Amino acid sequence: MKKLKDFAFIVVLNSVVLFGFHAQENPIDKKVQDLIAKMTLEEKVGQLFQVSGEEVTGPRGEKINITEYIKAGKVGSCLNIYGTKNVMRVQKAAIESSRLKIPLLFGLDVIHGYKTVFPAPIALASSWDPEIVRKAQKIAAKEMSSSGVMWTFTPMLDIARDPRWGRVVESFGEDPYLVSVMGRVSVEAFQGESFDKKDSVMATAKHYVGYGAVQAGREYYTVDISKRTLWEIYMPPFKAAVDTHVASVMPAFTTVNGVPMSANKELVNDVLREKWRFQGITVSDWNAIHELINHGVAENGADAAVQGINAGVDIDMVGGDYMNNLAALVKDNKVPVALVDKAVARILKKKFELGLFDNPYKYCDSEKEKEELLSSANREAAREIARESIVLLKNDNNILPLKMKDIKSVAVVGSLAESKRDIIGPWCGIGSEKDTISVLDAIKDVIPRGTVLNYQKGSEIEDNNESLVNAAVNAASKSDIIIAVLGESSEMSGEAASRSSIEIPEAQKTLLKWLSITGKPIVLVLMNGRPLDLSWEDKHIPAILETWFPGTEGGNAIADILFGKHNPSAKLPITFPKSLGQVPIAYNHLMCGRPATTETVTQKYVSKYLDIDNEPLYPFGYGLTYTAFSYSPIYLDKKEIKIGESLAASVVIKNTGKVDGKEVVQLYIRDMLASVARPIMDLKDFKKVSIKSGDSVKISFTITSDHLKFYNKDMEEIIEPGTFEVYIGTNSRDYQKESFKVVK
Ligand code: NOJ
């Protein structure tokens, strides 16, 4: 047994001071302090209050006259107010009528596009292409910033591992590394190089932290999370966002170790601010400070306000507990004014950095707004981005792309085929169905002349009847091929949209079963916001395309793939289980004492189910293409390294198919022996490459200390010498394998 402690290499974690200058050396800090000196206590508290416009994205509390509050200097920021005209009108109240003329911030949930809607985040992550995500977020930033909005409540960095949870759709999936990468590019895309730019807006890393771990996937429910899981799985994307200088962080509605995140001083103040040196604003989730009362940790609004401000939450979104109580609490010496001043300073600093004191209407540009929103370039980008986000799950006998010279008639079935609302998904900014291309529209557009198109709805999303089904079966029987567009409505995913079943809603599944009885080949085009249990479909349907919610140009993107204009290359950022009974089922589970391997699986006392095997239906990282790739064995340039050294791992990948394509090459590592149980593999890097038919490319990864460290029993990040296995492959199940040693 090796004496790990002797040669453990402690990775120095201490953060560096990010902005290496002191307050008094920064001209903005001076301006902030000068302004604070002029403010009354009530005006300070006003900066900490965020109000919502008429549109509500949470339970509505007390209704207030926003304009009157703004004029009295009692509001610091607004959400759900957008559009040049509206923002100008509201900003005007602050600038022309409030005593100190402090400009307001305008925030909105721009989650996957503002007016041009891009694929939902889970789909964006399926591209496994950070540049595609950057492109989408950059356009969203351009559109919103021309329309008065300078603050988005995105990216959502919650790790999503339970398909019942509706917010899987807003996430970048189950893996801390992939989520960190996509989160980082999102922050960079929104914020740009500096806030001087007109199209640089503030991003928000949310929901800090652990929200995705709600038990049984039930929204807003209990979170019980070990320190190890918290730090290894849930925290890294937030650390990555803070390191990318994200402007704001939103604590989650949920608890960690019994403490609601809106009152969690340990994680908000001590970790986020002190350990990680986060310099930006923290904004509560909708009414979350007030909900401390419902959590049973605050007696009343005043108590909730004390706990929120003490924890380090700067802005009270909508709830009003800061507005109603903080000034009195300060006067009664229950909250130090210094705490309020610090929160106010952070908010004012962002307002100065954004240039709002120089020009409060900087983001209001009606000409640019007209030009930018839904421009043809943005639409074209949306189509490209959607194509990159659609995952081909099954394609027996290369049924796709459709060989139209052999097809004389096509049946398109499913209400989602004609739906222009569902295809843009939940949290779709100000996107409108009026601007959307449905699957049916797009198919009509590209189907060759002379080919008969038989469209039948066949079913509503959650309801059907005999005549709908009969009409669809009839249309299907007359056709050479069926394109069934099925899945979830947009409302079945997102916030407050947990499901206890993860199957295609029964009404549509019944329809699909009837269609399959016709014996006609079926292409199942799925729209949904979470992994579904597709076990039946996988057995009976020859081709399955996971399109998630692909956005404004989703119909065209789907048609591009169906008809072979585009070769799909996306991969799953989250595991698809064989049944809900397997959940939770992330790919990087720990090694266990009685694993079920090929040799042991028939034995009784091993880790398995009696009625189903342990394997997922579609593993993390999985996705097909119209071509094929072969992988050479892995070549390591060194078989042994010292702690602190790096090595290169390479493979040669050949496109052995007939068409050009893209492959997502994935690098996983496993620590074979450590002082605590380690995952069977962890994603450490990936590269998306284009390879022409018949060509080969060499792909190399550099494996560094960063890829080998983990938290030991004392939660120190260390590297322990020993053997590491390296896997490079096309998904987390199919790969080449090698190993190397780390010595002291
Ligand atoms: C509640 C959601 O949890 C959060 O993500 C969103 O930003 C706010 N509502 C504002 O709409």
Side-chain angles (χ1 to χ4, degrees):
M1 172 71 181
K2 50 186 185 176
K3 264 198 187 163
L4 297 164
K5 227 179 156 196
D6 287 348
F7 41 65
F9 173 76
I10 311 277
V11 178
V12 181
L13 254 187
N14 288 341
S15 331
V16 278
V17 178
L18 297 173
F19 306 105
F21 36 72
H22 298 292
Q24 60 270 39
E25 288 164 14
N26 182 336
I28 287 189
D29 286 327
K30 166 96 175 58
K31 288 183 191 167
V32 167
Q33 291 314 321
D34 290 350
L35 183 53
I36 289 181
K38 291 186 199 139
M39 294 169 83
T40 64
L41 180 55
E42 284 69 22
E43 283 165 339
K44 290 176 184 174
V45 172
Q47 289 302 307
L48 313 188
F49 186 31
Q50 181 169 97
V51 297
S52 173
E54 281 307 306
E55 221 167 275
V56 292
T57 42
R60 196 21 130 192
E62 190 189 330
K63 230 180 159 189
I64 56 165
N65 181 331
I66 291 177
T67 317
E68 288 315 309
Y69 267 64
I70 292 171
K71 287 182 179 169
K74 287 178 163 182
V75 173
S77 54
C78 304
L79 86 149
N80 297 334
I81 295 175
Y82 49 83
T84 295
K85 256 209 207 131
N86 291 333
V87 170
M88 281 187 90
R89 180 176 42 81
V90 178
Q91 188 72 293
K92 223 167 147 196
I95 300 304
E96 294 182 4
S97 306
S98 76
R99 189 179 75 91
L100 290 171
K101 309 184 187 328
I102 300 175
L104 298 161
L105 293 170
F106 291 84
L108 190 71
D109 291 294
V110 180
I111 308 295
H112 51 115
Y114 180 67
K115 183 72 176 165
T116 309
V117 184
F118 298 103
I122 192 74
L124 289 176
S126 304
S127 72
W128 286 65
D129 185 344
E131 293 316 307
I132 279 292
V133 178
R134 190 189 302 279
K135 195 168 189 171
Q137 311 290 45
K138 190 80 233 167
I139 293 173
K142 280 201 156 124
E143 288 196 353
M144 64 183 270
S145 63
S146 68
S147 200
V149 187
M150 71 290 280
W151 188 7
T152 174
F153 303 121
T154 216
M156 188 182 103
L157 300 179
D158 295 303
I159 298 290
R161 302 191 144 193
D162 192 321
R164 289 167 291 192
W165 192 44
R167 303 199 85 166
V168 167
V169 72
E170 281 178 74
S171 81
F172 294 127
E174 75 183 33
D175 180 69
Y177 177 71
L178 184 61
V179 175
S180 300
V181 170
M182 297 311 187
R184 206 180 297 130
V185 293
S186 299
V187 173
E188 286 169 1
F190 279 108
Q191 298 193 170
E193 274 164 23
S194 99
F195 288 130
D196 290 346
K197 304 267 157 46
K198 263 190 144 179
D199 55 8
S200 291
V201 298
M202 298 198 296
T204 307
K206 72 184 189 186
H207 308 83
Y208 180 70
V209 56
Y211 187 8
V214 280
Q215 282 181 1
R218 196 172 108 192
E219 185 66 306
Y220 313 127
Y221 198 42
T222 305
V223 170
D224 191 6
I225 204 166
S226 72
K227 197 165 186 185
R228 174 167 303 281
T229 302
L230 180 70
W231 281 89
E232 283 185 352
I233 307 292
Y234 291 89
M235 292 291 258
F238 290 96
K239 175 70 166 65
V242 169
D243 289 347
T244 315
H245 309 313
V246 68
S248 66
V249 171
M250 182 187 290
F253 283 126
T254 39
T255 57
V256 168
N257 294 329
V259 185
M261 282 307 302
S262 312
N264 203 316
K265 184 166 182 294
E266 190 187 333
L267 289 172
V268 179
N269 184 70
D270 303 357
V271 172
L272 191 63
R273 289 210 190 283
E274 286 180 7
K275 190 177 165 100
W276 292 353
R277 302 268 166 208
F278 170 61
Q279 310 275 318
I281 304 172
T282 47
V283 53
S284 85
D285 205 336
W286 181 287
N287 201 39
I289 304 273
H290 192 65
E291 286 165 20
L292 293 175
I293 302 172
N294 293 348
H295 277 290
V297 302
E299 213 179 330
N300 49 36
D303 189 11
V306 173
Q307 294 195 40
I309 196 85
N310 271 331
V313 182
D314 299 333
I315 295 182
D316 178 6
M317 183 189 276
V318 180
D321 284 343
Y322 282 6
M323 168 50 55
N324 294 331
N325 301 291
L326 265 187
L329 287 163
V330 170
K331 284 176 192 152
D332 292 349
N333 293 324
K334 294 202 171 119
V335 168
V337 72
L339 214 53
V340 173
D341 284 356
K342 277 190 188 158
V344 174
R346 289 189 280 260
I347 296 160
L348 294 179
K349 187 167 182 177
K350 286 288 168 264
K351 293 183 177 182
F352 275 108
E353 284 174 4
L354 288 164
L356 294 175
F357 282 94
D358 296 330
N359 179 7
Y361 308 105
K362 172 184 163 194
Y363 293 93
C364 297
D365 185 340
S366 51
E367 279 309 302
K368 197 164 155 246
E369 187 178 29
K370 259 190 241 140
E371 250 168 56
E372 194 61 58
L373 302 197
L374 215 63
S375 69
S376 52
N378 294 357
R379 289 196 84 117
E380 196 38 53
R383 182 169 180 165
E384 181 206 347
I385 292 162
R387 289 194 300 226
E388 294 295 329
S389 309
I390 293 172
V391 190
L392 179 62
L393 295 176
K394 197 179 169 204
N395 195 18
D396 279 359
N397 304 321
N398 293 326
I399 183 171
L400 289 176
L402 297 174
K403 320 287 176 293
M404 290 315 289
K405 63 175 182 7
D406 309 326
I407 297 173
K408 299 285 160 269
S409 51
V410 177
V412 175
V413 179
S415 61
L416 285 171
E418 61 175 348
S419 169
K420 294 179 180 229
R421 173 60 195 89
D422 296 300
I423 197 169
I424 50 178
W427 287 124
C428 55
I430 63 161
S432 157
E433 51 197 289
K434 288 205 284 304
D435 305 313
T436 303
I437 310 293
S438 71
V439 180
L440 188 60
D441 289 343
I443 292 179
K444 277 185 188 156
D445 212 34
V446 294
I447 201 155
R449 263 167 179 264
T451 310
V452 179
L453 176 68
N454 299 309
Y455 172 66
Q456 284 296 331
K457 199 192 259 197
S459 169
E460 304 294 348
I461 302 283
E462 294 192 89
D463 194 20
N464 71 15
N465 59 49
E466 225 179 306
S467 78
L468 279 181
V469 175
N470 284 346
V473 169
N474 194 21
S477 322
K478 297 193 299 218
S479 307
D480 295 332
I481 192 154
I482 306 165
I483 299 175
V485 188
L486 308 180
E488 300 179 322
S489 67
S490 123
E491 295 214 322
M492 291 170 84
S493 284
E495 189 181 349
S498 296
R499 290 184 66 200
S500 71
S501 154
I502 54 164
E503 295 187 29
I504 293 177
E506 206 185 322
Q508 295 176 75
K509 197 152 174 171
T510 306
L511 168 68
L512 187 60
K513 287 182 177 168
W514 280 111
L515 293 175
S516 79
I517 290 172
T518 64
K520 299 290 169 122
I522 300 178
V523 175
L524 174 58
V525 174
L526 288 168
M527 273 178 219
N528 49 285
R530 52 166 57 77
L532 295 175
D533 168 356
L534 298 171
S535 296
W536 186 90
E537 292 76 4
D538 185 67
K539 239 185 239 134
H540 298 94
I541 308 297
I544 307 178
L545 202 59
E546 176 56 82
T547 77
W548 306 109
F549 293 113
T552 306
E553 284 285 331
N556 282 331
I558 291 169
D560 288 343
I561 290 177
L562 292 177
F563 294 92
K565 205 169 153 192
H566 181 83
N567 182 3
S569 60
K571 308 253 187 175
L572 296 176
I574 185 166
T575 305
F576 274 45
K578 278 192 181 129
S579 102
L580 190 54
Q582 288 182 322
V583 170
I585 188 178
Y587 80 94
N588 57 351
H589 58 85
L590 296 187
M591 297 193 223
C592 78
R594 294 183 178 182
T597 61
T598 347
E599 292 80 43
T600 64
V601 72
T602 51
Q603 297 170 14
K604 178 168 173 65
Y605 297 106
V606 294
S607 173
K608 64 175 185 184
Y609 300 100
L610 294 177
D611 53 353
I612 196 170
D613 64 49
N614 290 350
E615 295 311 308
L617 186 62
Y618 305 123
F620 174 78
Y622 168 87
L624 302 174
T625 155
Y626 294 157
T627 188
F629 298 103
S630 71
Y631 278 64
S632 73
I634 300 173
Y635 171 74
L636 297 181
D637 71 341
K638 289 173 210 146
K639 294 286 281 178
E640 190 172 294
I641 55 167
K642 286 195 179 129
I643 288 170
E645 289 178 352
S646 58
L647 77 155
S650 317
V651 284
V652 174
I653 299 157
K654 182 167 187 193
N655 181 341
T656 56
K658 292 199 180 67
V659 288
D660 302 348
K662 287 185 201 151
E663 169 68 332
V664 179
V665 188
Q666 302 162 36
L667 169 80
Y668 298 87
I669 295 182
R670 169 174 176 175
D671 188 343
M672 300 304 287
L673 176 65
S675 51
V676 293
R678 301 302 305 142
I680 61 151
M681 57 176 10
D682 266 320
L683 180 72
K684 296 294 179 181
D685 204 349
F686 60 89
K687 287 186 179 158
K688 192 164 184 178
V689 276
S690 296
I691 312 178
K692 290 206 174 322
S693 165
D695 279 5
S696 298
V697 294
K698 182 180 158 210
I699 296 293
S700 292
F701 294 100
T702 306
I703 299 174
T704 68
S705 301
D706 250 11
H707 297 132
L708 310 178
K709 64 190 184 187
F710 68 97
Y711 291 104
N712 68 5
K713 287 178 195 152
D714 300 324
M715 294 305 285
E716 296 160 333
E717 266 193 315
I718 67 163
I719 295 168
E720 289 175 352
T723 302
F724 291 80
E725 280 190 353
V726 182
Y727 316 103
I728 302 181
T730 186
N731 61 57
S732 60
R733 184 190 59 199
D734 305 308
Y735 45 74
Q736 301 290 322
K737 181 166 125 185
E738 249 298 358
S739 67
F740 66 92
K741 275 202 164 53
V742 172
V743 294
K744 206 180 156 189

